[in-house]
Amino acid sequence: MVDFNTGLLEFLYSSPTAFHATKNIAGKLLAAGFIPLYEGDIWQLEPGKRYLVMRNDSSIIAFVYGKSPLLDSGIRMLGAHTDSPCLKVKPRAELNRRGYFQLGVEVYGGALLAPWYDRDLSMAGRVTYRDQSDQIASALVDFERPVAVVPSLAIHLDREANNARSINAQKDIVPLLLQLPAEDAALPDFRGLLHAELLRQQPDLAIKQVLDYEISLYDTQPPAIIGFEQDFIASARLDNLLSCFIGLQALLEADDQVSSLLICTDHEEVGSASCCGAKGPMLQQFLERLLPDGETRARVIERSMMISADNAHGIHPNFMDKHDENHGPLLNRGPVIKVNANQRYATTSETSAFFRLLCEAAEVPVQEFVARTDMGCGSTIGPVVASEVGVKTIDVGSPTFAMHSIRELAGARDGWYLYKAAVEFFSYSKAPFALISRS
């Protein structure tokens, strides 16, 4: 477990954006012998080999093509998402306010905004540029060092700050980067700043002009194991890079006899409706190329299962009334099966029963989450994939606190528990529901 968590912290620290997370996942897979596929090429997939394919630099599918016939064993699928709520820089971002250089930002996803104040922020993302041959190319950038901050308003100027402060995302969450030499000084060009930083990090890039960018701000405080007994992991982007790392590590140990698939998609936090999101065609198109015959593909999908892995809400000791009294998952007590009568989660009695058997075989405890009946319920890629592909799906996740904050909290043992269950899943030798009687 110690090595697992060490690797997790390294992955979280080096993955400030979905682009960087996908690059890091691909790097681990390539080092393990996975063969890169390109969607514009003709594919010739062979049993016994391992493949990966990326889309938009922010979503990835990794596939272990088992030696057993797909009609006998089906495909074990595990899905997660690479994106997290954050602040994203606007296209025309430069602002001069009383001689302070600031950047206009958009709020990406359902971010908890208050924790973004007074943090040492950096910037990272993808930059698209024109090279010296007038071709369009893209590169990733990560400033790494603290370059921005969103200062709080002093309580002396807002005496009700601890009682009734609201946050206006347009006016109040505007990062400060530097002080200009004079109030009427010319503004730095943000694209020029990106150009200079890219060349500093990658001097061999033949950049002629930065055309556009997808840049996010992030907290530079490193992930850490914390608590008096080292019980917790504190980090940005636990939702949902924790699940991406679990799926990656488990797939690297997958049995070559059966077929297993990991899919980590972008844009879950904003509805998954994109070419590289779970609501897009990426997984369906991969399965169509793997199994061109429609009837065979439908039969294989019927024998398959998807684990949608996304963090769950652990019962908060300061806010216990926010949970159903019988469904309050505890940190460090194992993965959580998420259930919702209105299909916000895709779990069924059959998929949850199978997952319980996996946890039993892996000697892992298991918990349940159901939202209070008088409260709304979030959702995941689970219902999206189930409805788009038709695969039986379960929603599970590691319990966490402060979901969608700039720094979230998880149990130090829960990632390891879910990893063990995923290893068991990727090694299961039969079609997942072969034991279910249909009489």
Side-chain angles (χ1 to χ4, degrees), residues 113-121 148-153 165 219 406:
L113 291 179
W116 281 83
Y117 286 109
D118 308 317
R119 309 293 294 193
D120 299 342
L121 304 176
V149 65
V150 182
S152 292
L153 180 65
R165 174 178 284 183
D219 183 13
I406 198 170

Side-chain angles (χ1 to χ4, degrees), residues 257-268:
Q257 293 301 313
V258 293
S259 294
S260 299
L261 182 148
L262 172 67
I263 178 168
C264 299
T265 52
D266 198 358
H267 300 140
E268 188 274 346

Side-chain angles (χ1 to χ4, degrees), residues 99-361:
Y100 295 105
F101 177 54
Q102 295 179 275
L103 291 179
V105 294
E106 286 187 284
V107 178
Y108 176 83
L112 195 62
L113 291 179
W116 281 83
Y117 286 109
D118 308 317
R119 309 293 294 193
D120 299 342
L121 304 176
S122 191
M123 299 185 294
R126 183 172 66 178
V127 179
T128 301
Y129 60 91
R130 186 208 317 262
D131 67 16
Q132 298 298 332
S133 301
D134 287 331
Q135 299 296 306
I136 292 177
S138 292
L140 301 190
V141 67
D142 182 1
F143 283 75
E144 296 182 347
R145 62 195 185 278
V147 296
V149 65
V150 182
S152 292
L153 180 65
I155 196 168
H156 312 75
L157 303 177
D158 183 3
R159 292 293 183 180
E160 294 301 308
N162 291 330
N163 300 319
R165 174 178 284 183
S166 61
I167 300 173
N168 184 299
Q170 173 69 17
K171 299 191 307 174
D172 301 341
I173 305 289
V174 186
L176 169 66
L177 270 70
L178 58 88
Q179 189 167 16
L180 301 171
E183 286 193 36
D184 59 352
L187 280 171
D189 173 50
F190 185 62
R191 285 170 172 79
L193 296 178
L194 293 175
H195 190 159
E197 184 65 22
L198 270 175
L199 289 181
R200 187 185 73 82
Q201 296 182 12
Q202 304 178 60
D204 293 336
L205 290 179
I207 302 175
K208 186 176 182 180
Q209 177 190 14
V210 169
L211 298 172
D212 242 318
Y213 53 82
E214 294 167 79
I215 299 295
S216 303
L217 287 101
Y218 71 92
D219 183 13
T220 58
Q221 183 177 2
I225 305 292
I226 68 168
F228 197 75
E229 297 290 343
Q230 305 258 286
D231 286 327
F232 310 113
I233 294 176
S235 176
R237 302 176 298 281
L238 285 173
D239 176 18
N240 188 29
L241 295 189
L242 173 58
S243 300
C244 292
F245 183 77
I246 289 167
L248 169 63
Q249 294 302 116
L251 191 73
L252 291 174
E253 297 187 28
D255 189 333
D256 285 335
Q257 293 301 313
V258 293
S259 294
S260 299
L261 182 148
L262 172 67
I263 178 168
C264 299
T265 52
D266 198 358
H267 300 140
E268 188 274 346
E269 298 293 358
V270 292
S272 294
S274 69
C275 71
C276 58
K279 196 173 285 186
M282 186 177 181
L283 178 56
Q284 183 66 32
Q285 289 174 346
F286 180 89
L287 295 173
E288 288 172 355
R289 298 180 76 165
L290 173 67
L291 296 162
D293 179 69
E295 181 167 339
T296 301
R297 184 168 63 253
R299 294 172 66 197
V300 169
I301 290 173
E302 196 279 330
R303 291 160 169 78
S304 302
M305 178 177 163
M306 162 74 79
I307 293 178
S308 166
D310 203 346
N311 296 6
H313 296 291
I315 186 168
H316 196 304
N318 299 343
F319 303 94
M320 292 186 290
D321 61 340
K322 295 297 184 180
H323 281 260
D324 181 270
E325 58 185 332
N326 284 346
H327 300 90
L330 297 171
L331 272 60
N332 290 312
R333 296 296 188 271
V336 178
I337 297 173
K338 300 192 282 188
V339 177
N340 182 260
N342 296 302
Q343 290 298 294
R344 300 295 288 169
Y345 303 130
T347 304
T348 70
S349 61
E350 291 185 347
T351 58
S352 63
F354 180 75
F355 186 76
R356 289 180 190 276
L357 292 180
L358 290 177
C359 290
E360 182 181 290

